Amino acid sequence: MWAQEDLNISHSFIAKPSENFIFLIDLSLPRKADVLRYLDSSGQKPAREASVIVFCGARGYLKEYVVGPLSGRLQHRDVTQYKYNTSELPFAARTVTIGEYVQLFTLLNHVFQKLEKPLTESFGYIPKQRELLTLESMPRGIRSGDRKTWISFFRDFSGMYIHPVGFEMLINHESSNSSNWTVDKLLYNGQYFDTIDEFMEKYKANRLKKIVYKEIPNYASLKPREKSSGLGPQQYYLEGKRYSVKNNQVIYLDWSFAFGLSSLTGMRVFDVRFRGERVVYELSVQEAMSVYGSVTPGMILTKYLDSSIGIGRFAHELVRGVDCPYAATFVDTYRYIDTNVTQRFRNSICVFEHDIGRPLRRHFSDFFHNGYGGMANSALVFRTITAIGNYDYIWDFIFYQSGSVEARVHATGYISSSFKVDGSLQYGHQVAENVLGNIHTHFINFKVDLDILGVKNVFQTKDMVYKEVALPWMPSEKAKIPQLVEQQIKTEKEAAMLHNAKTPRYLHIASNQTNQWGHHRSYRLQVVSFAGDHLPESESVEKSISWARYKVAITKHKDEEQTSSSLYNQNYMWSPFVDFSKYIDDNEMIVNEDLVAWVTTGFLHIPHAEDIPNTVTVGNGGGVILRPHNYFNEDPSINSPDGVYFGPGSESDCEDNKMACLEKDHCSSTLEPFTYHGFEGVMKFE
């Protein structure tokens, strides 16, 4: 791309908005039909190509290209028209680059010179010693084409996000020439000012309510306050790892899959197979959104769409023994986003087998045929963690020996906060002196492309009703009993399960093939969510986040409908280039078609004192579990070597109970001898 003279692309990683700049290079996903032809029918291997996004500041628009094949003579083609039905994307739709931030910080330094006296007296600002740190609101305005950003200021502490100072500034940076940027408004201690001069005049004349700076401890610090009293439990592979990671392929017992990390959307896996049969073509993160409430402008309209700056972009090195078990396998990733060189991120993915600490299944026979049968729930975890500003998202794909797959996210990190002013307590709780933790709700969208015994699938729902029936042996007596209700959904609109609507509890992608007992072989989508209410559709920006209308939506697979959101939806929310609801509006038939499930989960977060200093992961998350439902003739984990069984008198027999000999077979001072006395208290009938 640099070699194309007509594109005139800057090589600088801090290119100015007025220059042409490569923002992103990432994998261009091949067409699904071509991939399946290669994987399943010995077809030609699809060409590996790159997707390239260019911010053309010198020309005032954005372009997308595909470059490839990487194995041959490189060529580039403009795909903007094909993807977005327009030859050029508006320049205002771009995300803010490092180069633009450099220009913004230059402007702020110039403004701070004019404001030094009030900044010092109110917030302890000392140039180049004790700065004020920034956090932006998004979207950047109130209509398409706007690029007016409210910037909030915070104390110069680690964990600055919970140290707001009560000062915000509206910057107009619409022009690609930074010399034309202006300060359009200021907010100080809940009071608005139209110009810097107006603020300074009223400050000097004591015609405003001043904030007086005082030193405070950094309650946001994560440095341990108590000395360690010992090491917590650690996990070891006593007989070696039962999985392998090679290039981008993972094999674990009956599972296999390929993985990747998109700079924009984050973690994804492809060609997920159990016992050699593909059950998932693609499982991927699509978007992470948070919608805030506030009385102050820095957050009053804020709706963060994290893919607009890059979810996978912020996957940094994972800490061994904390972020992942110490003995996990770690994988490096490589990215080219908002830079001028490919960057390596060491150990930014981890893979490990993990004992969940709760049996996958078990039964103790007390009444008859006394015995114990059970199985530890060892599962494979594929993980990355993305630290996007204040929030850290822990992304897990978990592969269970029962044939289930779980996509799960937990949130931690710092809450976003604002300076407490009159009216603030309608929008959250006070969590520190003059600090409000702002109410917000997280929405996470996953793409689940299930292929159940091929690509000709149907969508089924199941639930229950209470039906009054006469007792067969006593017809005069009636009782209400649960009855199974089954339905096959035929169109995309019928299959769009609105967030606030009552929906069937069982949602299935099914094959027309049946198991041994005559039931459709299927996988169930089980959504785990505590999300708050979705933004009303009457709001002008709602179409840019229309995927969040639906708990689950089922669409016919199209390569053109690759993602539910877009890099451009954050800064062009009023006229989005990807409006997910349009995937449903054409209302195509979904009977015996290649189906994709789009699943939205999340949680409502009303910040509280225990969010200081950090939000904990307990209860703060959501996900979707893909569970076999009549896909097999029985639970496949019954064939796992991890199963244990013994009866009275055979407790110490190692043949079906390897726990009995664990202490003898493995030299470890931490393993206690295996004992069991559970049959002493069984019920006896003679």
Side-chain angles (χ1 to χ4, degrees), residues 17 71 93 122 165 214 291 318 331 402 423 428 436 445 460 472 500 507 521 525 561 595 615 624 626 685:
S71 59
S122 300
V165 299
K214 72 174 185 177
V291 179
L318 300 167
V331 180
S402 59
L436 183 85
N445 191 243
Q460 298 175 334
N500 292 320
L507 308 173
R521 297 177 65 183
L525 300 157
E561 296 176 354
L595 303 183
T615 293
V624 57
L626 314 179
F685 299 98

Side-chain angles (χ1 to χ4, degrees), residues 151-302:
I151 297 177
S152 303
F153 295 93
F154 297 78
R155 288 184 185 239
D156 192 0
F157 280 149
S158 65
M160 42 88 57
Y161 304 101
I162 50 177
H163 284 291
V165 299
F167 184 54
E168 301 180 16
M169 191 182 300
L170 180 63
I171 305 292
N172 183 336
H173 51 122
E174 290 176 359
S175 173
S176 59
N177 184 346
S178 61
S179 65
N180 296 326
W181 295 355
T182 56
V183 176
D184 284 4
K185 215 168 266 299
L186 300 94
L187 177 74
Y188 173 90
N189 200 15
Q191 305 152 90
Y192 287 92
F193 305 90
D194 291 329
T195 64
I196 294 172
D197 290 342
E198 180 194 358
F199 169 66
M200 289 298 295
E201 177 187 337
K202 290 183 177 179
Y203 186 89
K204 291 175 182 177
N206 292 317
R207 289 165 49 204
L208 50 73
K209 185 178 179 182
K210 290 186 177 181
I211 298 171
V212 178
Y213 173 73
K214 72 174 185 177
E215 297 276 355
I216 61 171
N218 183 13
Y219 48 79
S221 173
L222 298 181
K223 186 176 181 179
R225 299 179 188 178
E226 299 288 339
K227 290 186 177 180
S228 174
S229 59
L231 188 65
Q234 299 293 309
Q235 176 177 304
Y236 299 97
Y237 300 95
L238 294 175
E239 296 183 340
K241 295 176 180 177
R242 302 194 296 181
Y243 64 88
S244 66
V245 181
K246 185 178 181 181
N247 298 326
N248 71 329
Q249 303 283 325
V250 175
I251 297 175
Y252 165 65
L253 300 177
D254 290 326
W255 288 104
S256 66
F257 59 88
F259 66 86
L261 186 73
S262 163
S263 293
L264 294 184
T265 59
M267 203 161 74
R268 55 193 183 187
V269 293
F270 295 93
D271 194 26
V272 179
R273 302 184 186 219
F274 187 78
R275 294 184 176 175
E277 286 187 335
R278 182 182 304 111
V279 291
V280 179
Y281 176 77
E282 177 186 354
L283 175 60
S284 58
V285 180
Q286 290 292 298
E287 185 62 278
M289 173 180 70
S290 47
V291 179
Y292 281 84
S294 179
V295 71
T296 53
M299 243 181 273
I300 196 169
L301 295 176
T302 288

Side-chain angles (χ1 to χ4, degrees), residues 455-630:
V455 295
K456 299 296 183 182
N457 292 155
V458 296
F459 180 50
Q460 298 175 334
T461 66
K462 300 179 185 180
D463 213 322
M464 57 159 283
V465 294
Y466 279 100
K467 182 178 181 182
E468 188 175 88
V469 299
L471 301 180
W473 70 94
M474 197 184 302
S476 61
E477 296 295 325
K478 295 182 178 179
K480 286 186 168 63
I481 61 172
Q483 185 182 66
L484 173 64
V485 177
E486 299 180 276
Q487 186 180 7
Q488 182 170 306
I489 308 299
K490 296 182 179 179
T491 66
E492 288 177 327
K493 285 189 176 180
E494 289 180 271
M497 310 290 177
L498 287 168
H499 181 74
N500 292 320
K502 187 178 187 302
T503 59
R505 295 170 180 87
Y506 277 59
L507 308 173
H508 301 263
I509 302 294
S511 167
N512 282 317
Q513 298 183 41
T514 58
N515 69 358
Q516 182 179 349
W517 317 115
H519 299 293
H520 285 278
R521 297 177 65 183
S522 74
Y523 260 71
R524 175 189 173 196
L525 300 157
Q526 184 171 334
V527 182
V528 180
S529 181
F530 182 61
D533 292 341
H534 176 57
L535 191 71
E537 291 183 33
S538 57
E539 283 293 285
S540 60
V541 299
E542 192 277 338
K543 286 187 181 300
S544 66
I545 54 174
S546 58
W547 51 268
R549 294 179 193 173
Y550 313 100
K551 287 184 250 187
V552 175
I554 308 295
T555 63
K556 179 180 175 182
H557 177 274
K558 295 179 182 175
D559 290 299
E560 297 76 23
E561 296 176 354
Q562 192 174 104
T563 59
S564 60
S565 189
S566 163
L567 168 66
Y568 315 110
N569 276 24
Q570 176 75 83
N571 293 319
Y572 229 69
M573 295 189 81
W574 308 269
S575 307
F577 290 97
V578 174
D579 174 0
F580 177 79
S581 65
K582 292 181 178 178
Y583 295 3
I584 296 166
D585 285 346
D586 57 10
N587 201 26
E588 293 198 75
M589 296 293 292
I590 54 172
V591 178
N592 295 323
E593 297 288 354
D594 188 359
L595 303 183
V596 178
W598 308 83
V599 178
T600 300
T601 182
F603 65 97
L604 172 66
H605 193 174
I606 301 174
H608 45 90
E610 293 80 9
D611 283 311
I612 305 298
N614 245 191
T615 293
V616 299
T617 56
V618 178
N620 291 323
V624 57
I625 308 171
L626 314 179
R627 300 177 57 186
H629 188 91
N630 291 320

Side-chain angles (χ1 to χ4, degrees), residues 360-416:
L360 180 64
R361 52 175 174 80
R362 61 96 70 187
H363 179 66
F364 176 81
S365 296
D366 191 349
F367 292 177
F368 310 106
H369 296 287
N370 299 147
Y372 172 86
M375 178 178 162
N377 191 2
S378 288
L380 186 85
V381 180
F382 176 73
R383 171 178 294 170
T384 193
I385 302 178
T386 55
I388 308 170
N390 57 305
Y391 263 109
D392 295 51
Y393 288 107
I394 302 171
W395 306 96
D396 289 335
F397 291 163
I398 308 171
F399 300 83
Y400 296 96
Q401 293 187 59
S402 59
S404 296
V405 183
E406 182 176 5
R408 186 171 67 188
V409 60
H410 285 94
T412 178
Y414 290 99
I415 58 171
S416 278

